[in-house]
Each structure stands twice: as C-alpha cells, then as structure tokens.
C-alpha cells in the first residue's frame, strides 16, 4: 500500500486549510499500554473461588471447568465458531474484585484519559465485562469491538500475570499498531478506542488470563481551548474559501460557484449510536473544538456527521510470487452488533496487507453524508447528501483507513484493472448560515417543499418563487435520492423534542422508498397549484418534472385534479409529458404493476368526475390520454415477455400481469372508453385459437380472470361489475380452449416430438428443429466445430428443452450428442394436470 502525503490529492484551495487543521496535534494516541503491580488486585470467581496471582496452570484448569466457549457478534447474530474465536469466557457478573482495587483503577483511568487524549473534565468509567482464558492454541482473529452500552468509547484489558508464549495482543489504527506481550509478574494494562481493529495471536505454550472492562464516557467533556492564533488564521482562510468562486472545468460546470459547505473527514470511526460531540476521540476532539470556534466567528452552522466513502483505484496485479491476497472478516467482540450501528455490512473488513495487487492512482470516488447531529444535541438525524470532492479535506486519507468492503475488477473487455473500496467515516460539516436553505434543501427534498410552502403562506409568492428557483439546479438529483436516505430522524435515547418524520398517504406499493417519493409528490402538488401561471411554466414544471407517474399515490390524486382545475389541460399535459416521455428502464415492473392495480382507477374516476356540459371535459381528455399511454407501455412489456425463448419463464412472467390488465380494463369502463376495453380484451385472448400444443398463451387470460375473482372474493357484490367488464366472453373462450386441450389424447409412449418454436432460422437451428419435431428420433450424433456446437448448446438451454447435450471428444470435428429425456413426458403430464385444475376453477365461476 503506497504511503502518500494526505494533502497531495486535495484541491489547491483546500491545501492551506487542511495544513492548518493538521497542525492541531492530538494530545494522545489510539491506544496505551503499561504495567501495574499485582498487589492490590484480589479476584474471586463464582464456582472457582479466590484466584491467586500469578495465575498457575491448576487455577487455569479450574477456570476452564466453569467457563463457556466464547462467542462473537456478527450483525444480529451471536455465533460460536472456533475458527474465528477460540477462547473461554466467564461473564463479569460472576467475577468479584476487592475494594482495594478501586483507587488503583481510578488512577489507571486518569492515565488512560490522558494517554488517549480525552478532554479535561471527561468522566471516564470502567464497567467489568468478562474474564477470558486462553490456553495453548487458542486465539481471536482480527475484529473490532461493538459499542456494548450507551457511552462506550473504548476497551480496557488487564492481563493477569502468568507464563505463556505467543498470544501477542495487537491493536491497529490506520497504519499504526501497538503490541502487548503480557507479563509473568505484573498486571499488563492495555486500553484502546473501540474503533481499533485488534487480535489475539495463538498461544504457543502456557495460558493467558485477562479481565476486560468497557470504557464509558458518562459526563460531557470540557473541551480544551484551541489556539486563538490558529483559529484567527483558519477562520480567515475559510472565509475566503467560502466566498471565492472555483475555476470552471468545463463550459457548464455547476461547481464553479463558491462552495456550499466545508467537510472535514475525522481520523476515527463512529457508529450511528455513538455519534456524539462528547464522545470524540484523540485528535478529533481538539480539531472539532477548533472548527466549532471557526464556525462561531464565521456565523456558520456546524454538524457532526457520518459518511459513506467510495473510492475507485487503478491497480496492477502482483505477479512476483510474493503477492498479497485474501481478506479477513472483522467481527465484534463478545456481543452482537448494535441494531443502531452505522451499517449492516461492518463485518466485511479488508486486510490490505494481503491484497494481490498494487494500487496506482485514485480515478473516481464519491462521498454521501448519511447521518448528522448538531452541537449540544444527541438527536441523530438521517440525511442523504452527496458531497463534491471540492468541498472535502482530511488529514487522514481514506486509503490509509480500513474499508468495510472492497471489490477487485480485473481487466474485462475495454475496462481497466480497478479496485473499489467502501469506508465508513465521520466528518465535521460546516456552512455559512446564508447557505442554510440550499444546504438543507439538498439534504431533504421534503424539507425544501415544506419550507417553500411555509414561505408562500407567510411571505408571499415573490419570496417563495425566489427560494424555489434556488433549488431548481439540483432538484432532479435530490428527488432521485428521495426514498434512498431522505431525512428522517433516527432513534435516539435523549431529546424529547426530536422531530418525527411521518410518511402519510398510500403509495403505489409497499416499498418504503416508493412511499417517500409519493409523499414528496403529494406535498409538492399543492405548492405548484398555488403558483401563478408565469411561475408554473418554469418553476412549477421544473419542480414536478423529476417525478414519475408511479409516484402519484391515491392520496395525491385530489391535488393532481386541483392542479388541473386551477391551471388547465395544457399546463397539466406538459407535466404528464415529463412524467411519461422517457421510460425509466431502471424502474422495477413491480412499481408499475402496483401503481396500475392500486391507483389508476382512483385517478381516472377523479378525472372523469369533472364534467362540462356536452363538451369533453379536460379531466376526461386527460384520462383518455393517460389510459392510452399506460396501455401502450404495458403492452410493450408483455410483448417483450412473449419473445422469451423459455416457455416456463414466459408463463411465469405473464401470470404477473393479471392485476394491472384488469385495472386498465376497469379504468377504460370508468372513462367510457369501450374501444380501449375491447382492444385490451382482444390482446388478452388473441392466442386462444393458436396451436393447442403451446400452453403459454393461456397464462395471460388466466391471470386476468384470477385477478377478477380475487376482487370478487374481497367484494362479493362485484360479480355484476365483473361481467360488465366484458370478461364473460373471455371466460367462455378460455373454457373452450382448455376443454379442447384436455380432449386431445395423451402423448404416446413412443412419441418423442417436441414442438417448441425456435425463432432462429439458421441452418443449424433448422436441423435442430427437424430433430426436435421428429416423433421417432430420440438421439442425434452431430459432428460440429466448436462455435457451431456452442450455438446449438445455447438454443437448447435458452428454450429449456428436455434434451441432454454433451460433446464426444473424438475425431475432428468433435461430435455433439443430443438425446431427448423422459422429462418430456413428465412435462406433458404436468401440463394436463394444470389444464384440468384451471378448467375446474373456471367452471366453478358460473
């Protein structure tokens, strides 16, 4: 791993600011070690009695008899795996320590407070956690301690005097490490911050016995006073930085304007539960205090935040034979990971000392702020804020930190050899109060809409338009992120005045992300409705354009109709065009299906309730246009499925379209569009007269009828409506088709014909089709070159044919051997059982 100057990669205008912050030196380290005399430590263990010191082999055996194999935490599980952790554990509540140890522990904590660089006045408490016994061969792989209780900042380990070899206790933080080897005659004391990775290497002989305490900060710290001179210089540098525009890198560079905010990445890691100004560690304490003073002078908002950092590096593989390879998984000591920990994937730590490639240069990356907390508060708020590289500085580059995940992508096609790293880091985020509206709008689209709505009600349209225009430049990005980390308060254990983010209304589906976007649109529509015509054409349309039709929930329908009533057909049609003009290929089919099934009929009914004498009302015109668009989109999706080669996959996918098709049919009836209803029904049953050997076309009409029956089951009064929809002829035709299939004789035992259509018309596929359709030919020995064999292999696999295909590697060219299997008869029998079941169900509908 290259050791680079952390300032080298920074933009020039951040270099001096970072240098000044880096000059605020830490007063402590990530870990400390020292020894104490054993005289004042008297220990008794329930079931083993008094523990004499030094610990001898006989005492160790007594402890092992009452101990349990130690477990470790992984996500929400507590696991027992001796390949990860092999040691004996006795819970702390079974261990008694004499009172004479109390003053010694107090002095020990005072030294630890100083050595770890904790602030003056910090009340550090040690709570006994357990007693651990390591015998020959036992160990604990590299791991990171979880925050086992509120306020936990680190771990204290006291090794009891004993004789052993091996068993080195290694603590690492970034590129630094500390090693403790224990003592045969004294207490060996080690304390370290909870974000440090550490391991116990295997004991080669003897035994190692330790007591562990959780180190807890119980009292708000009195911050050390930063240097006034340094603050003066730093404040002036940052004032200039906030005011000076950046040099544009291209014609329309949006980041040429002065930066919105300043982000400094801290050296230590913090979890969501431990994100607290009073629990900062080592160098982070004084640097945070310095930046808080700068924020006061510059009238800036300042927050403590958690960030997800992603970096992509170019690399070259190590072919020396001594290359580094592999990775290790980091595990949480003793307990489960806390549910409030920063991320669910914290166990996937990467050991860069074992990578099998050499990093060259950073070629891409990104930072997203996910949580933040204000000074004097413990209310951790969830946000989603992308941070530009030009806004970020650090004294410890991420590449020197430990990633929680990595992915190495070798040379593939035209792509280079790259490796991606993902990190959890903490940060100080600061911005001038004049930027407050933009910063908060970027972090929460819902907050922005609510604030502009408030301004519209209190300060009028001019002020509201002004603020709305400020967010238009980044609004599409903010709306896109909404639902994937939009601001909402996380669970906290303090402030009673914590805001609560409640998503109201019923979205297009049960996906929380979709519900958040739907709630945002529900809030945005009334705001746009209240804008005047001039503002609607530029501001209102721009606010609504990033949404999709599936974001329009049933709760939002009245607001949409009000927009139509207020601004008319032409304006609202422009909005719909933006929602429907470009298909979102990433948009999951489930969202589209759910929206059609739950919301379409509500929208069409509300639009058609608007009448205007004998003339077509705007609502009906819009309803017809929406139905035509939705039907065209759904039809295109179904036709794509129809082109699948695999019959089973086609049938499975077609069966998912019953609810949305029924919703379109119902909505066509509501909108008085009989031609559209008949078109949809004609599409659904168009294949009922096709080749009876092909069962796939039955899936679509079956799905529609099953959806209608489910509606009837939920509402028995809907039977007449079900028939009014024109579904009775469909039921009758489907009954006839199924009856005709069942009337055909079952396949003869010697009939090996397979009538699966193969669309490819090449010579190879023609020969394959002739073989498949032959009722007598069960096997084909086919000499083919490699590429031609691959083509035939692909056709068989794509269609899921019951044909075994292997290559006999003799002669030139090799011979492709095709053999039909008995699965053909099993499939036919299964199809007939399915037809009989479906026919019985349909006849029961009478």
């Amino acid at each position: 791993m290259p050791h680079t100057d952390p300032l080298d990669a920074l933009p020039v205008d951040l270099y001096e600011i970072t240098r000044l912050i880096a000059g605020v030196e830490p007063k402590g380290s990530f870990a400390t070690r020292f020894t104490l005399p054993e005289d004042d430590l008297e220990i008794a263990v329930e079931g083993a009695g008094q523990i004499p010191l030094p610990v001898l082999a006989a005492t160790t055996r007594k402890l092992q008899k009452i101990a349990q194999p130690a477990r470790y935490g992984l996500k929400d599980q507590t696991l027992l795996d001796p390949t990860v952790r092999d040691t004996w554990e006795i819970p702390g509540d079974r261990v008694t320590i004499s009172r004479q140890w109390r003053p010694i522990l107090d002095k020990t904590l005072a030294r630890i407070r100083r050595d770890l660089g904790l602030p003056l006045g910090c009340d550090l408490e040690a709570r006994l956690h357990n007693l651990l016994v390591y015998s020959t061969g036992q160990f604990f792989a590299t791991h990171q301690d979880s925050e086992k209780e509120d306020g936990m900042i680190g771990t204290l380990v006291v090794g009891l005097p004993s004789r052993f070899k091996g068993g080195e206790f290694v603590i690492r933080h970034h590129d630094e490490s500390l090693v403790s080897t224990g003592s045969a005659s004294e207490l060996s004391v080690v304390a370290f911050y909870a974000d440090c990775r550490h391991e116990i290497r295997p004991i080669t002989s003897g035994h190692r016995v330790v007591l562990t305490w959780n180190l807890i900060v119980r009292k708000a710290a009195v911050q050390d006073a930063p240097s006034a001179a340094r603050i003066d210089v730093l404040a002036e540098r940052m004032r200039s930085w906030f005011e000076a525009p950046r040099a544009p890198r291209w014609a329309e560079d949006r980041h040429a304007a002065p930066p919105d905010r300043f982000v400094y990445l801290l050296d230590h890691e913090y979890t969501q539960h431990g994100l607290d100004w009073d629990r900062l560690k080592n160098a982070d304490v004084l640097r945070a205090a310095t930046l808080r003073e700068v924020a006061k002078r510059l009238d800036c908002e300042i927050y403590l935040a958690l960030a997800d950092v992603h970096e992509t590096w170019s690399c070259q593989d190590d072919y020396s034979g001594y290359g580094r390879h592999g990775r290790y998984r980091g595990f949480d000591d003793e307990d489960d990971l806390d549910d409030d920990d920063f991320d669910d994937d914290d166990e996937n730590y990467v050991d860069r000392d074992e990578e099998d490639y050499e990093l060259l240069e950073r070629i891409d990356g990104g930072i997203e702020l996910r949580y933040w907390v204000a000074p004097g508060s413990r209310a951790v708020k969830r946000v989603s804020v992308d941070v530009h590289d030009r806004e970020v500085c650090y004294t410890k580059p991420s590449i020197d930190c430990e990633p929680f995940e990595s992915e190495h992508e070798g040379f593939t096609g035209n792509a280079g050899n790259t490796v991606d790293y993902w990190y959890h880091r903490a940060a100080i985020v600061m911005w001038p109060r004049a930027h407050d509206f933009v910063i908060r709008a970027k972090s929460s689209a819902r907050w922005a809409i609510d604030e502009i709505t408030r301004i519209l009600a209190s300060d009028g349209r001019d002020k509201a338009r002004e603020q709305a225009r400020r967010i238009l430049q980044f609004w599409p990005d903010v709306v896109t992120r909404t639902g994937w980390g939009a601001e909402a308060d996380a669970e906290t254990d303090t402030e009673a005045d914590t805001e609560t983010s409640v998503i109201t209304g019923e979205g297009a589906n049960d996906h929380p992300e979709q519900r958040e976007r739907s709630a945002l649109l529900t809030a945005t529509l009334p705001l746009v409705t209240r804008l005047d015509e001039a503002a609607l054409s530029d501001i209102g349309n721009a606010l609504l354009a990033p949404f999709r039709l599936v974001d329009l929930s049933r709760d939002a329908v009245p607001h949409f109709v009000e927009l139509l009533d207020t601004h008319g057909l032409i304006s609202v049609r422009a909005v719909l065009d933006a929602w429907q003009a470009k298909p979102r290929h990433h948009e999951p089919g489930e969202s589209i299906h759910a929206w059609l099934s739950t919301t379409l009929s509500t929208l069409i009914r509300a639009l058609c309730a608007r009448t205007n004498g004998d003339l077509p009302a705007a609502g009906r015109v819009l309803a017809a246009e929406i139905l035509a668009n939705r039907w065209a989109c759904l039809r295109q999706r179904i036709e794509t499925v129809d082109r699948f080669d695999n019959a089973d996959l086609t049938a499975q996918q077609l069966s998912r379209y019953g609810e949305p098709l029924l919703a379109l049919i119902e909505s066509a009836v509501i909108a008085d569009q009989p031609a559209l209803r008949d078109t949809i029904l004609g599409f659904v049953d168009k294949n009922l007269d096709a080749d009876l050997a092909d069962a796939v076309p039955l899936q679509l009409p079956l799905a529609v009828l099953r959806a209608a029956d489910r509606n009837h089951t939920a509402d028995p009064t809907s039977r007449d409506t079900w028939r009014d929809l024109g579904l009775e002829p469909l039921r009758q035709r489907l009954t006839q088709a199924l009856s005709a299939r069942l009337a055909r004789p079952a396949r003869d035992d010697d009939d090996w014909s397979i009538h699966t259509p193969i669309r490819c018309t090449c010579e190879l596929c023609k020969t394959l089709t002739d073989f498949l359709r032959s009722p007598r030919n069960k096997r084909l020995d086919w000499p083919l070159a490699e590429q031609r064999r691959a083509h035939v292999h692909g056709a068989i696999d794509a269609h899921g044919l019951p044909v075994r295909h292997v290559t006999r590697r003799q002669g030139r060219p090799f011979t492709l051997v095709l053999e039909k299997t008995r699965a053909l008869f099993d499939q036919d029998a299964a199809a007939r059982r399915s037809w009989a079941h479906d026919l019985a169900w349909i006849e029961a509908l009478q």
Side-chain angles (χ1 to χ4, degrees):
M1 172 58 55
H3 293 280
T4 58
D5 185 337
L7 305 184
D8 287 347
L10 293 173
V12 175
D13 50 4
L14 277 177
Y15 181 93
E16 188 63 23
I17 292 175
T18 307
R19 188 185 65 79
L20 289 168
I21 296 174
V24 181
E25 294 290 344
K27 293 189 174 182
S29 180
F30 65 95
T32 183
R33 67 181 178 190
F34 50 91
T35 60
L36 294 172
E38 66 177 60
D39 303 344
D40 294 315
L41 181 60
E42 295 181 4
I43 307 169
V45 177
E46 180 184 334
Q50 201 73 20
I51 306 301
L53 302 180
V55 181
L56 302 178
T59 303
T60 302
R61 288 192 292 270
K62 289 172 61 178
L63 293 172
Q64 289 174 330
K65 289 180 180 179
I66 63 171
Q68 297 291 328
R71 299 173 180 266
Y72 65 93
L74 179 61
K75 289 190 177 181
D76 57 351
Q77 304 177 68
T78 300
L79 304 178
L80 179 64
D81 184 352
T83 66
V84 174
R85 186 183 194 188
D86 186 9
T87 185
W88 299 95
E89 177 184 21
I90 297 173
D93 58 9
R94 297 182 61 184
V95 179
T96 302
I97 298 178
S98 63
R99 294 183 178 178
Q100 290 86 341
W101 171 248
R102 185 70 250 179
I104 304 299
L105 179 60
D106 290 341
K107 292 180 181 179
T108 299
L109 291 176
R111 176 170 178 175
I112 291 171
R113 185 188 302 111
R114 182 182 70 248
D115 290 353
L116 295 187
L118 290 170
L120 295 174
C122 170
D123 186 1
L124 189 63
E125 176 186 337
R127 180 168 295 180
L128 184 63
H129 183 60
N130 61 15
L131 182 147
L132 301 172
V133 180
Y134 292 85
S135 295
T136 302
Q138 293 189 302
F139 68 98
F140 195 173
T142 303
H143 60 285
Q144 181 182 14
D145 288 347
S146 63
E147 296 175 0
K148 302 176 183 68
E149 52 186 309
D150 184 36
M152 180 175 169
I153 199 172
T155 301
L156 166 64
V157 178
V158 176
L160 305 184
S162 63
R163 294 189 178 277
F164 62 90
K165 293 183 179 180
E168 295 87 357
F169 185 15
V170 184
I171 304 104
R172 300 185 183 89
H173 185 250
H174 301 323
D175 54 352
E176 300 179 88
S177 63
L178 179 146
V179 180
S180 173
T181 56
S183 171
S185 58
E186 294 183 296
L187 301 174
S188 57
V189 180
V190 178
F192 52 93
Y193 284 116
D195 64 317
C196 295
R197 279 81 176 165
H198 51 285
E199 65 174 317
I200 305 297
R201 291 175 176 167
I203 304 287
T204 56
S205 67
H207 47 268
R208 176 179 182 271
V209 182
V210 301
L211 294 167
T212 74
W213 281 264
N214 299 329
L215 294 176
I216 301 161
V217 174
R218 289 300 187 195
K219 180 182 177 182
V222 177
Q223 301 291 346
D224 295 336
S227 164
R230 185 178 298 274
I231 290 174
D232 290 341
V233 176
L234 182 57
E236 189 55 38
R237 292 283 185 184
M238 292 192 66
R239 186 193 308 278
S240 300
W241 183 78
F242 274 124
E243 294 174 353
R246 311 277 81 81
R249 295 171 295 174
W250 56 81
E252 298 181 358
D253 184 3
R254 291 187 303 172
H255 301 285
D260 288 326
R261 74 199 135 218
F262 170 80
V263 178
Y264 167 65
L265 298 177
L266 298 173
D267 285 358
H268 282 268
E269 291 181 26
Y270 303 87
T271 66
Q272 177 188 334
H273 192 69
L275 191 63
D276 192 317
W277 290 89
D278 292 331
R279 300 184 201 171
L280 295 178
K281 305 165 185 174
N282 200 17
D284 295 344
V285 177
L286 196 52
R287 289 170 182 170
T290 300
L291 289 173
R292 288 178 69 169
E293 287 299 316
V294 170
K296 290 180 182 178
R297 300 210 182 168
L298 299 183
D299 192 26
C300 286
E301 294 275 9
I302 188 167
Y303 281 80
L304 178 62
L306 293 180
D308 270 355
V309 179
H310 171 221
E311 292 188 349
T312 302
W313 286 70
S314 62
C315 61
Q316 64 181 13
D317 295 329
D318 189 339
Y319 299 107
S320 65
Y322 301 94
R324 299 163 298 175
H325 59 278
R327 60 193 291 181
Y328 71 87
R329 299 169 67 83
F331 300 97
D332 287 323
D333 187 16
E334 277 83 54
D335 294 329
D336 300 347
L337 277 172
D338 188 75
D339 289 338
D340 287 332
D341 279 355
F342 185 20
D343 195 274
D344 290 336
D345 296 326
D346 282 347
E347 80 279 8
N348 296 323
Y349 294 106
V350 180
D351 188 350
R352 285 217 192 77
D353 290 337
E354 298 184 358
E355 290 171 347
D356 55 359
Y357 41 80
E358 178 184 356
L359 299 183
L360 299 178
E361 62 178 341
R362 181 181 180 273
I363 58 177
D364 197 7
I367 298 176
E368 179 191 8
L369 303 180
R370 292 184 55 199
Y371 300 92
W372 65 24
V373 59
S377 170
R378 295 185 65 186
V380 180
K381 294 186 177 183
R382 184 164 59 95
V383 298
S384 176
V385 181
D386 289 331
V387 179
H388 194 269
D389 283 347
R390 294 186 177 191
E391 300 175 327
V392 181
C393 74
Y394 42 78
T395 48
K396 180 74 68 173
S398 294
I399 200 63
D400 286 349
C401 302
E402 203 71 35
F404 70 86
E405 187 177 347
S406 75
E407 181 177 315
H408 179 207
E409 183 75 31
F411 288 103
T412 55
N414 294 326
N417 193 2
T418 60
V419 60
D420 288 270
Y421 293 116
W422 288 267
Y423 306 86
H424 292 327
R425 298 200 65 175
I428 302 292
V429 186
M430 190 166 71
W431 64 83
R433 294 189 194 277
H435 298 181
D436 193 59
F437 175 81
V438 170
I439 293 294
R440 292 182 182 276
K442 285 183 175 180
S443 69
S444 171
R446 180 59 185 269
W447 179 89
I449 291 300
D450 290 345
E451 180 66 8
I452 295 172
T453 301
R454 183 194 65 76
I455 293 171
L456 182 62
S458 59
D459 299 329
R461 287 181 174 177
D462 291 342
K463 179 66 173 178
R465 283 197 300 266
E466 176 187 343
Q467 294 296 67
R469 286 194 177 94
R470 294 180 67 188
I471 71 174
L472 294 185
Q473 188 178 48
F474 55 83
W475 183 247
D477 294 335
V478 177
V479 173
T480 299
R481 286 201 315 270
T482 297
W484 304 98
E487 183 172 345
D489 291 340
E491 290 184 7
T492 56
D493 42 301
T494 53
E495 302 193 344
D497 60 346
T498 300
E499 300 173 7
T500 303
S501 176
V502 180
I503 302 300
T504 59
E506 190 171 358
N509 57 38
D510 290 334
H511 214 289
E513 290 81 7
Q514 182 65 58
R515 288 200 301 272
E516 288 196 36
R517 281 191 295 273
S518 295
L520 176 60
L521 178 56
T522 303
T524 305
L525 282 167
L527 170 63
V528 173
T529 299
R530 295 176 61 187
L531 295 175
D532 55 48
E533 289 296 332
L536 178 67
S537 60
D538 58 348
I539 299 175
N541 288 352
L543 289 175
L544 293 175
F547 292 98
R548 307 161 299 174
L549 191 56
V550 296
D551 297 327
L552 187 71
S553 69
R554 283 190 285 187
D555 285 347
V557 165
H559 301 304
F560 183 78
V561 174
E562 184 182 5
L563 181 69
L564 176 62
D565 287 345
T566 303
H567 293 290
L569 177 61
I570 295 177
S571 297
V572 176
R573 181 181 281 149
V575 172
L576 276 175
D577 287 345
W579 290 355
Q580 300 179 147
K582 295 180 180 179
R584 271 69 166 185
H585 296 293
H586 65 277
E587 186 175 286
E590 290 77 5
S591 294
I592 297 173
H593 292 184
W595 186 85
L596 291 172
S597 303
T598 62
T599 308
L600 178 63
S601 61
T602 301
L603 173 61
I604 299 303
R605 184 174 286 107
L607 289 172
C608 292
R610 267 46 183 176
T611 60
N612 186 17
D614 296 331
L615 298 176
R620 288 190 174 273
V621 172
L622 210 59
E625 293 176 0
I626 292 172
L627 286 173
N629 177 274
R630 293 298 88 191
W631 164 235
C633 292
L634 192 66
R635 177 171 182 163
Q636 183 180 21
R637 284 177 173 266
I638 295 173
E639 288 174 340
T640 300
V641 172
D642 262 335
R643 291 193 291 269
F644 289 175
D645 291 328
N646 189 296
D648 290 339
L649 179 59
T650 303
Q652 177 186 351
Q653 292 298 314
L654 288 178
S655 64
R656 299 169 54 246
Y657 285 87
E659 293 284 354
L661 280 169
L662 181 65
L664 276 166
I665 294 169
E666 291 176 335
S667 298
V669 172
I670 293 169
D672 194 19
Q673 297 280 322
L676 178 60
R677 181 203 63 180
D678 294 343
T679 298
I680 299 171
L681 287 171
F683 178 84
V684 169
D685 72 356
K686 66 178 181 179
N687 289 322
L688 289 182
D689 295 329
D691 184 357
L692 296 180
D694 183 8
V696 171
L698 299 185
Q699 299 305 317
L700 214 53
L702 275 169
V704 172
L705 292 182
R706 290 191 186 280
D709 188 51
R710 283 193 294 270
N711 287 358
H712 171 65
T713 301
D715 180 11
T717 65
S718 67
R719 175 61 66 195
D720 291 339
T721 303
W722 182 80
R723 287 176 177 159
D724 291 343
L725 295 178
L727 299 181
E728 180 58 25
L730 177 64
R731 187 194 69 81
Q732 293 175 2
R733 284 169 55 77
L734 190 55
T735 301
Q736 294 168 2
L738 287 168
S739 299
R741 292 175 185 234
L742 288 169
R744 290 194 327 235
R747 179 185 290 272
D748 292 337
D749 290 341
D750 59 351
D751 180 5
W752 291 89
S753 60
I754 303 174
H755 289 274
T756 298
I758 296 180
R759 293 184 176 87
C760 179
T761 58
C762 73
E763 176 189 352
L764 291 173
C765 287
K766 183 178 183 303
T767 301
L768 175 61
T769 299
D770 291 342
F771 165 68
L772 293 174
R773 293 183 177 178
S774 172
R776 298 292 176 261
N777 291 341
K778 180 181 177 183
R779 172 177 169 138
L780 175 63
D781 290 27
W782 197 356
L784 289 174
E786 180 179 1
Q787 290 186 350
R788 293 163 68 82
R789 292 197 308 271
H791 183 76
V792 177
H793 282 303
I796 293 172
D797 291 340
H799 289 80
L801 301 177
V803 177
R804 185 182 299 112
H805 47 106
V806 296
T807 300
R808 187 170 64 237
R809 301 181 179 278
Q810 297 176 352
R812 282 290 185 269
F814 293 160
T815 299
L816 178 61
V817 180
L818 306 181
E819 187 173 6
K820 299 171 185 176
T821 69
R822 295 294 306 180
L824 171 62
F825 297 90
D826 296 338
Q827 290 174 1
D828 269 21
R832 293 184 69 86
R833 289 193 298 271
S834 177
W835 297 337
H837 177 270
D838 291 337
L839 180 60
W841 169 76
I842 290 174
E843 290 176 341
L845 292 178
Q846 292 181 341

